Amino acid sequence: MSKTILVTGGAGFIGSNYCRYVLQHHPDYRVIVLDALTYAGNLSTLADIQQSVDRTDRFRFYPGRIQDETVVNGLLRSERVDYIVNCAAESHNDRSLLEPGSFIQTDVYGVFILLDAAKRHGIERILHVSTDEVYGTADTGRFTEQSPLAPNTPYAASKAGGELQARAHRVAYGTPVLVTRCGNNFGPYQYPEKLLPFFITRLIDRKKVPLYGTGEQVRDWIFVMDHCSGIDFVLHHGTPGEVYNIGADCERTNLEVTHRLLQLLDRPETLIRPIPDPRGAAHDRRYSVDASRLRSLGWRPTHPFDTALEQTVRWYVEHQTWWREIVARPDYQAFLQRFYGPYLGEDL
Ligand code: NAD
Ligand code: DAU
């Protein structure tokens, strides 16, 4: 049956890939994007979608912030929306350590505005995309949906705050909200501030890559399209009020991942620059996502890490216009100077 999905944050990394996923896998669905086009949101990220749906009414873009009540309610009055998938967020831990305020605005208050609007407009389902970082660090064992919330950065705490709003809305008003928690994503169109796109783009240019501390921290990686298939599976088959982990059982240390990038791009080890850990005590040592609940319902990731990583590196090599336009911006360069300048100096 034909549905219309509002994807908030659809001009970002996961949101845009989710739009691609829906347009490809649900030929009768419409997708509407609401995005504030912050530093991390780019219309160029949606250019291929705009072209592919040219002359159809399957895709529409609205600029605006999710915490702007007037914009959100106006949109839901003028468009018939069945589902909301919230990918809008401030999403980078390092930035949250510098300036936490915007994280609370978007990741907590913005989620509240979306939940409130979903209730008012009788939205069938609203899925809130969250993160495994709400669990904090997994020194032993794995994160299950029952693990306690113990966030360690302002970003992770804001995401936990958004989730608690979702929980309370379900209990207090019966809002049909579902929550997903996923580990570290990688793939095309990821803003070059996160480990993989940051290192890949710098290594393409033969620049040094700043590895925090010893590089022994473990992240649980998943290709973005597997995350998107998980979101879509939960949206259609999940139970409102429930939380679902999404993961691909792929733990790697940062050092291992960095060495693999050096191999794929044929670059020397001397390009690794270990730096004092800028996250300090807030740096989670290990993430480990137990997604057996979702798997027991029939969902599976289908992209093995090694081939997906190779494909991702190739994508950045072949799409240099997309990321070079971003890294040339003054705000990008200013962030690098502020955050990495003290460590990298002339190698920046
Ligand atoms: P991103 O930073 O690439 O994109 C975020 C998008 O949201 C951008 O397009 C930005 O313009 C938009 N946005 C920001 N504030 C907004 C606001 N107030 N109103 C409307 N739009 C706004 O982030 P991402 O990596 O795509 O992450 C998307 C979601 O997935 C986030 O909720 C994040 O917490 C979650 N998540 C990310 C990962 C990961 O590895 N990237 C893993 C698990 C969960
Ligand atoms: O686990 C899910 C989370 O994964 C998401 O919720 C976040 O939105 C997403 O940004 C990501 O968070 P991380 O903090 O784990 O991702 P990041 O790519 O910033 O860092 C990954 C690891 O690499 C982390 O241990 C810090 C390290 N690192 C990162 C950067 C940017 C470095 O060593 N050097 C770097 O320059």
Side-chain angles (χ1 to χ4, degrees), residues 20-254:
R20 287 182 190 91
Y21 184 91
V22 172
L23 291 167
Q24 188 187 341
H25 289 83
H26 302 289
D28 51 345
Y29 278 27
R30 281 183 78 223
V31 173
I32 295 170
V33 165
L34 173 67
D35 196 294
L37 298 179
T38 66
Y39 79 93
N42 286 289
L43 283 178
S44 60
T45 298
L46 294 170
D48 63 316
I49 296 181
Q50 300 269 19
Q51 274 169 15
S52 72
V53 295
D54 203 17
R55 291 190 300 275
T56 73
D57 190 31
R58 291 195 65 206
F59 181 79
R60 195 167 286 180
F61 176 83
Y62 288 88
R65 299 185 310 155
I66 57 168
Q67 63 269 42
D68 187 332
E69 210 178 335
T70 312
V71 166
V72 171
N73 286 292
L75 192 160
L76 292 178
R77 264 194 300 275
S78 65
E79 296 275 5
R80 186 192 60 80
V81 168
D82 302 290
Y83 302 144
I84 298 175
V85 173
N86 179 32
C87 299
E90 289 294 338
S91 67
H92 191 37
N93 276 306
D94 292 336
R95 287 182 191 255
S96 83
L97 291 163
L98 295 176
E99 283 165 11
S102 58
F103 287 74
I104 292 160
Q105 276 297 316
T106 297
D107 300 359
V108 185
Y109 188 68
V111 176
F112 155 71
I113 292 293
L114 289 178
L115 290 162
D116 185 57
K119 170 167 67 92
R120 286 196 214 184
H121 296 271
I123 298 298
E124 221 173 290
R125 281 173 174 230
I126 170 168
L127 184 145
H128 175 57
V129 176
S130 192
T131 169
D132 63 350
E133 296 204 12
V134 297
Y135 298 120
T137 194
D139 288 338
T140 54
R142 311 197 68 191
F143 301 134
T144 72
E145 289 85 353
Q146 280 73 46
S147 301
L149 302 191
N152 290 318
T153 66
Y155 159 70
S158 304
K159 294 297 294 184
E163 279 200 28
L164 293 179
Q165 287 300 320
R167 182 195 139 79
H169 261 257
R170 174 66 186 166
V171 175
Y173 310 116
T175 309
V177 58
L178 303 109
V179 170
T180 56
R181 296 178 183 147
C182 188
N184 287 61
N185 283 225
F186 66 100
Y189 296 106
Q190 188 169 25
Y191 189 86
E193 65 184 350
K194 310 285 164 57
L195 179 78
L196 276 176
F198 184 44
F199 280 19
I200 293 169
T201 53
R202 287 183 69 84
L203 290 174
I204 289 174
D205 284 346
R206 296 171 195 277
K207 288 183 174 159
K208 292 213 154 90
V209 291
L211 192 65
Y212 300 173
T214 58
E216 281 162 341
Q217 299 82 8
V218 172
R219 293 295 179 263
D220 197 345
W221 295 95
I222 184 169
F223 186 58
V224 64
M225 279 305 173
D226 281 333
H227 185 192
C228 291
S229 76
I231 290 170
D232 203 60
F233 187 94
V234 171
L235 179 68
H236 290 93
H237 306 292
T239 304
E242 297 288 316
V243 175
Y244 298 89
N245 281 349
I246 300 177
D249 296 333
C250 182
E251 294 182 38
R252 299 278 190 282
T253 65
N254 296 335

